[in-house]
Amino acid sequence: MGVLMKGIDVANVMKEKLICEAEMLKEDGISPCLAIVRVGERPDDLSYERGARKRMAMVGIDCKVTELPGDIGQEEFEEMFQKVNDDPKVHGVLLLRPLPVQLDEEPVKRMIHPEKDVDCMSPVNAAKIFAGDKTGYGPCTAEAVMEMLKFYGVGLKGRNVTVVGRSMVVGKPLSMMLLNEHATVTVCHTRTVNLPQVCRNADILIAAAGKAKMITADMVGDGAVVADVGINVDEDGNLCGDVDFAAAEEKASYISPVPRGVGSITTSVLAGHVLRAAGAAGSRTKIGIGR
Ligand code: NDP
């Protein structure tokens, strides 16, 4: 059985550093603040919001939630979003997604100030991730995977990494982050031919497809590192990942569970981004430019 990569252990170590950073900002007269914008009351959103508020409180970041009705129209939604976005007291803005069907996310991706875009919604931050420019903010989940691999001492340089999933939220940005660390990256999707073989050849396999238990034991190479990003509900109504954990753990050298894996790290990454954004805003104020 492989080593269990527990998200909480990673988050606990990150917490100490985050608390120190928040204290230093406060000594400089800056009160770091995250604004969460939620439309409607999707259980996933409410659960993520609870986790984020708890994490922000734990490290000393203010957290404001703007709750909008689930049936809000595009115009009013954009107005409300812009208000939060323009609030000078707010250093980071997190819009909970996906949005209800009547809303188009594209305009707000362009509206959000890139320097407040702590979960990589803006094309500016996405481009920075692809360019390997560390001044941008990556998507928290993709960075959470990187934090987990770093914490467990999983080397990336020259290793074969297979990422299953190519979304802009996880698969693609994560692939770029891995590439920036000199991994040899293969990105898989629904049209990949012979997925089991491509997965089996990986030293490090990252599942981000959103398909319950699709990664079976025959897709895991002996001694591979397996990180599971998926959050799904199985046939018994229990949370599970994309990896068939019970079968894969026999072959993996390291493996992350779901729940209590990657998902437990994302709000710590988010807190880190808010602190960085607050620090940068403080520096801009000192030299008299921008928001
Ligand atoms: P998307 O649905 O946007 O993307 C899924 C990707 O997986 C697509 O690229 C798709 O390929 C690929 N895929 C789906 N099925 C298969 C398959 N059978 N074989 C190969 N590739 C497949 O999902 P997200 O990226 O937003 O999320 C992925 C998972 O991560 C979900 O379970 C989600 O809940 C979870 N998640 C977890 C977070 C956390 O904090 N832990 C945060 C965000 C997401 P194609 O492009 O060809 O359609």
Side-chain angles (χ1 to χ4, degrees), residues 158-207:
R159 311 286 298 280
N160 289 322
V161 184
T162 294
V163 178
V164 185
R166 59 174 165 180
S167 75
M168 279 304 286
V169 180
V170 192
K172 274 186 197 163
L174 177 56
S175 303
M176 290 303 123
M177 291 172 191
L178 292 160
L179 198 56
N180 288 336
E181 295 300 323
H182 313 294
T184 302
V185 185
T186 305
V187 187
C188 300
H189 44 80
T190 52
R191 268 63 147 216
T192 297
V193 175
N194 204 349
L195 182 68
Q197 192 186 330
V198 181
C199 291
R200 212 162 36 236
N201 285 342
D203 301 316
I204 300 162
L205 174 61
I206 301 174

Side-chain angles (χ1 to χ4, degrees), residues 1-6 152 226 245 249 252-257:
M1 178 184 158
V3 173
L4 193 63
M5 297 193 285
K6 288 189 250 170
Y152 283 96
V226 180
F245 184 88
E249 72 168 338
S253 56
Y254 289 81
I255 186 165
S256 72

